Amino acid sequence: MASLAEYFPFWGNITQLEREKLESSAVARVYKSGTILHNGSQDCVGLFVIKSGQLRAKIASDEGKEMTVFRLFEGDICLFSASCIMKSLQFDLIIETEKNTELWVIPPLVYKSVMDESAAVANYTNELMASRLSEVIWLIEQVLWKSFDKRLAQFLEQENILEGSDILNITHEMIANHMGTAREVVTRMLKYFQSEGIVKLSRGKIELADKNKLKGLAG
């Protein structure tokens, strides 16, 4: 049976009492795909330790427009769901499940108490936060400086890797929500990809017909 020791690199550098505090407070949860787990900076659910499944961290406008900021997978730790432990962090991320997910939830005050006591935990938390913020900065750079055709090609490549299949069960609307654009924009570009022999389109599915061309476009 998996334990928290397998997920936290600082485990060997904290006291037995601190380990017991984290282990005794961690609550196992199972969520179906499409479940909202965390909804903005005012929602401090706790630290997520992902045992299996896939999470999506996104931002959303008042008009309902979305963009994926990063994804989390088996073995990852979600810190933004416990953002209240870091007073200077105000970032309205929404965390939802993309696949059926099993995880532990560690209450924010429990984790903070261990972080305040242990330099190893504090250093790990800062490194984790810096890593996630680097992903946010990378995304901003992609949106600002990279053309949409290249971004879409990159997205399709990533989906191919994640799903392990050349046939992606994904709609144009879902892609638009990931990429922070309109469905019509995605549809126009996918039709261009199809005319170039890169993909084949059917209802709710995209087949990667020429992955070499796709890779070349993605750069």
Side-chain angles (χ1 to χ4, degrees), residues 176-195:
N177 286 339
H178 277 294
M179 303 188 69
T181 190
R183 179 185 57 79
E184 294 78 10
V185 174
V186 173
T187 297
R188 282 197 299 270
M189 191 58 69
L190 284 173
K191 286 182 176 178
Y192 167 71
F193 282 9
Q194 181 168 248
S195 71

Side-chain angles (χ1 to χ4, degrees), residues 43-82:
D43 183 8
C44 197
V45 181
L47 200 78
F48 296 154
V49 182
I50 304 169
K51 297 172 69 176
S52 65
Q54 184 173 311
L55 304 185
R56 173 193 179 205
K58 67 180 182 181
I59 52 177
S61 70
D62 293 338
E63 295 76 26
K65 193 173 182 180
E66 298 180 1
M67 176 179 284
T68 299
V69 180
F70 56 81
R71 283 158 149 171
L72 297 163
F73 306 95
E74 179 180 344
D76 281 338
I77 310 295
C78 183
L79 185 60
F80 281 98
S81 53

Side-chain angles (χ1 to χ4, degrees), residues 7 11 27 34 36 39-40 49 59-60 78 95 103 112 124 183 185 191 201 212 218:
Y7 297 84
W11 203 256
V27 179
I36 300 294
N39 196 4
V49 182
I59 52 177
C78 183
I95 311 293
L103 50 77
K112 187 177 187 306
Y124 168 78
R183 179 185 57 79
V185 174
K191 286 182 176 178
L201 304 178
N212 287 330

Side-chain angles (χ1 to χ4, degrees), residues 96-112:
E96 68 176 354
T97 57
E98 284 196 292
K99 297 182 178 179
N100 293 341
T101 298
E102 184 178 3
L103 50 77
W104 281 295
V105 183
I106 299 176
L109 293 181
V110 173
Y111 187 83
K112 187 177 187 306

